[in-house]
Structures are given as C-alpha cells and as structure tokens.
Amino acid sequence: MQPVLEVHAPDGFALWPVAEVDSFGYLALTGELTPLEVGTAVMRIAGCNDIAPEDDNRPSRPADPLGSFLHGLLTLDTLFAAGGLRVTDSATGVAFLPGCCNGLEDWREWHEVLDGSGQAWVGHDPDPRAERHGETVRLTVDAEQNGSPVIELPATDLRRLLAGAEHDLAGFLTLAADWAAQNLPRHAAPVTAALARALDLPTPTEPSAGNLEAHADTA
C-alpha cells in the first residue's frame, strides 16, 4: 500500500525546480523522494487548490506569480490532493488504484473498512471498492466491470498496511517541510501547515536538518 498523488507534465512550470514526469501518472509519497520530486508534489497539491477567490470571503490573489499560485493552498478551508492509496498484490500484479475525485486528504476513511461501516469510498470511473467481509478485506478494482480483478487480504494486514502508508506520508511531509524552508523561505511555515492539512497529518513542529538541495526563493 502506497499513498500516491496524481501528477502530470509540468508544462513550463518555472516557480521552482520540479522533476520531469509523464503526461499522467502517480507519484508515491515517501520520505525517500528527491528534491525535484518533492517540488513536483508541492506543485501538484498547490495546483489542485489553485481556485480563484469568489464569494467565499477569501482575500484577493496577490499580484506576484508565486503568491498567486500558492493562494488557494494557503487560503482555502478545505484542501484537495488528487490521488489516494494504491494497493498492489505482489503475487499477481493486480493494482487497486484510487478512482476519480478521490483525494489523499481522505485517506483515513480507509479505517472505516476496519472500524466503521465496513467499506470506504475511494472514487469512481472506474469504480474501485474496498469492503470488509468478516475477517477478509476485498478490494475490487472496478465494481462496474464483470469479472473485475480483486485483491483479498486479512483485515489485520490492512491495519498494518495503513500504518505503513501513514509512515510514508509523514516521511514525505518532513521532506516537504525541509524543502519549503529552502525553496520558499518566506512561505515555508504556511505551506508546510497547508500540506499537513491536505494530507490529514499533524503539522511538523519545526523542519528537520535540511538534507535537500537549496534553491533560492523565486518570489
């Protein structure tokens, strides 16, 4: 199980260095990403929330390009990070992917499978389903497709996998805090806090010792 973020080609993005990625794919968020991959993830999460202020009592966009791009991330009450939790059966190669409109901000809803309703909504189109049947969790890749591939695992394994996914997200957030301190020093604290909200994690108390390449703030 991996927390993954939907990413696409940067298309001339120049506010900070980012990695080259395919036109569409998933980036697994862990504490092992390179600085360029962290930059790509921050770009994508900010882009998911790049929504112009309307009648929502938010302040107007700043005039500078960096402040304008970060404005939604830093001012929206509810944040979205396109993606979710990807589960791959290492024996069969079957991959259970988050569906459209699913976001990493809701990853904790997977605990409903174990401790709540017995199922979790994980997007649509395709229609992936995560359901508990007794002591077994069934992950159906596309419930609208006859004969859809399925992954089955013990409920106790899902609890362990969720703990691992949370560890990966926390590792990424630590990297992102360091990255923001080095690349966006004037926005580091609010960006880090916003990323924590977008991933439904506690905000790091302070950046760890920087181990990423330093880049000047482009603002």
Side-chain angles (χ1 to χ4, degrees), residues 140-149:
T140 305
V141 172
D142 186 356
E144 297 298 319
Q145 173 188 332
N146 291 330
S148 169

Side-chain angles (χ1 to χ4, degrees), residues 173-193:
L173 185 58
T174 297
L175 279 187
D178 288 340
W179 179 93
Q182 295 174 28
N183 290 269
L184 307 172
R186 289 184 294 201
H187 301 277
V191 165
T192 300

Side-chain angles (χ1 to χ4, degrees), residues 4 15 22 41 48 60 70 82 88 96 105 113 122 131 137 143 171 183 193:
V4 294
L15 294 176
D22 294 333
C48 285
S60 300
L70 294 175
T88 305
F96 179 87
E105 72 282 357
V113 176
V122 287
E131 303 169 304
V137 173
N183 290 269

